[in-house]
Amino acid sequence: MSLDQVRSIADAVLYEGYLLYPYRASSHKNRSRWQFGVLGPPHATAASFGEEPEMEMQCLLAPHDGPAAVTVHLRFLQLQVREVRSTGEDGVEVPVGQLIVDGVPVMSWDEAVEREIVLPALPLGEVTDAVHEVPGGEEAEPLTDARGVVAGRIVRRRQPLAVRVRARAVIDDGYVRLSVAVRNEHPEPAATKDAAIRSSLIGAHLLLRAHDAEFVSLLEPPAGAAAAAGRCRQRRCWPVLAGPKGTTDTLLGAPIILYDHPEVAEQSPGALFDSTEIDEILTLRVMTMTEEEKAEARATDPRAREIIDRCDGMSPAGLQQLHGLLRDPHRPQPAAPAGPVADVRDVEPAAFDTAGAPWWDPAADASVRPGSDAVVIDGVLVAKGSLVRVHPSRRADAQDQRLVGVTRHARTNPGPQSAA
């Protein structure tokens, strides 16, 4: 499998918080945009509010017959200061917050540049511990009006970064427990919040590829690996299987907790940089912005301009597509009277309640009859009103885990909700 197939997920992690709705520089929450995966400079003062400099994750691999190895990809954003300078009549440049050129505003802003450090394939019996340098830099871009007169310049600056990557492996119950640690080694002190974030790794995450080995799910490990999986420890980085369901050669170590094989919904037309929100909600919010607000957002950042233009150009059909989709409904089994309590495992407890809206559209699928349909779960026929005892899977969230062992009544045909 190509690593590019998981980059859409990795990019969602990378750009989480890059620019938050309402996508304007004047928005208060965009003054603290960087939320996840920030590895701050180790010599930051308390006044700088710098993040911890290190993250580490542990994962399990099952080697094949050949020489097993792992390729480690470290991806992050390097902050880039975009400073707009106005050129006066005397030719002297002065930094400004905004410069209007031919009626179009250009703003000073903090951008970010994607970085990726790829380590050579590491045999699982070896250890690596090396510091990698990420160069800084400065580039300038003239701002000229329609007559060719230079009105100012955009100057972009980046601080150099240094990052240490350590990897080691040990045998645990016949599996290989691999530890990968990443640490910001920036040598200089940071006394302010701006100084700290400008020398940080932002959105840092790991992509691992296994060679002659396969990764083991830590969320749903096979029985023989459960004890070893329980001994894996994570610090600000959580590993999940990545790529199409059923594949085990790629792993994503993310600064947020995900399920195995996470996906970006095919209905999503593009990044919105606020992945804890819903595309439809954010798109509707953009549509409520005034033309003045949209102009400010477009001036804030090229990626913000893309969002505004995409939302402005969205057709009614495109917006409707964001509203949601039910996929792969399970066909109901013949109805039967409520019998013994069914131990319902690996489900969403919300499926078994006495209230709630239908999960299907009766006009689109008249074959579903929630009042009488039933489904077999662990040899027991379950229909509306049946007693079920809930056993959420390891993938369940904290709210679901509170209902472990609780007995409830099924509200409708459990259909697709009981097949989690």
Side-chain angles (χ1 to χ4, degrees), residues 340-347 352 377-380 382 387-391 405-407:
V341 175
D343 276 331
V344 183
R345 300 182 181 274
D346 299 349
V347 304
F352 304 101
I377 300 177
D378 198 22
V380 178
V382 176
L387 283 175
V388 299
R389 186 174 295 114
V390 181
H391 297 274
V406 172
T407 301

Side-chain angles (χ1 to χ4, degrees), residues 115-374:
R115 298 299 185 204
E116 182 166 346
I117 296 172
V118 183
L119 278 62
L122 176 70
L124 291 183
E126 296 185 7
V127 175
T128 184
D129 186 343
V131 175
H132 304 265
E133 303 291 339
V134 181
E138 180 175 317
E139 293 92 29
E141 172 189 345
L143 290 171
T144 57
D145 61 20
R147 300 170 298 166
V149 176
V150 176
R153 288 195 306 164
I154 297 176
V155 178
R156 293 178 169 90
R157 300 188 308 275
R158 299 175 301 280
Q159 292 255 11
L161 302 175
V163 54
R164 181 183 296 275
V165 182
R166 304 189 306 273
R168 65 188 188 282
V170 298
I171 303 299
D172 189 340
D173 276 355
Y175 294 90
V176 176
R177 185 169 73 243
L178 175 67
S179 301
V180 182
V182 179
R183 179 178 174 83
N184 185 344
E185 295 284 0
H186 189 72
E188 299 174 5
T192 66
K193 184 177 179 180
D194 284 344
I197 195 63
R198 290 170 184 176
S199 52
S200 295
L201 281 65
I202 300 169
H205 62 278
L206 295 161
L207 286 176
L208 275 59
R209 291 295 305 273
H211 312 283
D212 287 314
E214 60 186 63
F215 291 105
V216 176
S217 170
L218 298 186
L219 294 174
E220 298 177 290
R231 286 188 285 271
C232 289
R233 297 292 179 262
Q234 319 303 336
R235 182 184 177 194
R236 306 181 70 209
C237 187
W238 289 269
V240 295
L241 300 178
K245 287 181 172 60
T247 60
T248 55
D249 63 341
T250 306
L251 185 131
L252 169 63
I256 56 177
I257 299 175
L258 300 169
Y259 294 137
D260 283 334
H261 306 290
E263 299 176 278
V264 173
E266 63 270 20
Q267 293 83 10
S268 180
L272 289 162
F273 306 136
D274 201 339
S275 299
T276 58
E277 291 284 358
I278 299 172
D279 283 19
E280 181 184 27
I281 294 174
L282 289 177
T283 300
L284 289 171
R285 286 177 175 176
V286 169
M287 290 178 174
T288 67
M289 294 170 67
T290 66
E291 291 305 315
E292 291 77 12
E293 291 170 334
K294 291 178 181 179
E296 182 187 345
R298 288 186 173 98
T300 295
D301 189 271
R303 292 186 173 94
R305 185 185 306 118
E306 292 175 8
I307 292 174
I308 302 300
D309 291 346
R310 183 172 67 243
C311 293
D312 272 358
M314 185 170 290
S315 66
L319 184 61
Q320 179 64 30
Q321 190 177 8
L322 298 179
H323 192 60
L325 176 70
L326 172 69
R327 39 182 151 181
D328 299 328
H330 291 255
R331 291 305 174 190
Q333 302 292 325
V341 175
D343 276 331
V344 183
R345 300 182 181 274
D346 299 349
V347 304
E348 297 178 15
F352 304 101
D353 209 339
T354 56
W359 54 262
W360 91 108
D361 181 356
D365 190 354
S367 66
V368 176
R369 296 177 177 84
S372 59
D373 288 336

Side-chain angles (χ1 to χ4, degrees), residues 37-114:
V38 178
L39 304 185
H43 304 295
T45 65
S48 73
F49 297 98
E51 297 276 358
E52 291 184 41
E54 190 167 5
M55 69 180 190
E56 183 173 6
M57 66 160 223
Q58 294 183 338
C59 59
L60 285 185
L61 295 103
H64 296 163
D65 295 332
V70 169
T71 301
V72 177
H73 299 247
L74 169 63
R75 306 177 76 230
F76 57 92
L77 295 176
Q78 180 184 19
L79 190 138
Q80 177 172 265
V81 177
R82 185 183 75 208
E83 182 182 80
V84 176
R85 299 178 180 177
S86 175
T87 303
E89 294 182 359
D90 56 0
V92 176
E93 291 183 348
V94 179
V96 294
Q98 175 178 283
L99 181 63
I100 297 178
V101 182
D102 290 334
V104 178
V106 183
M107 304 185 71
S108 295
W109 186 246
D110 282 351
E111 303 172 328
V113 180
E114 290 184 25

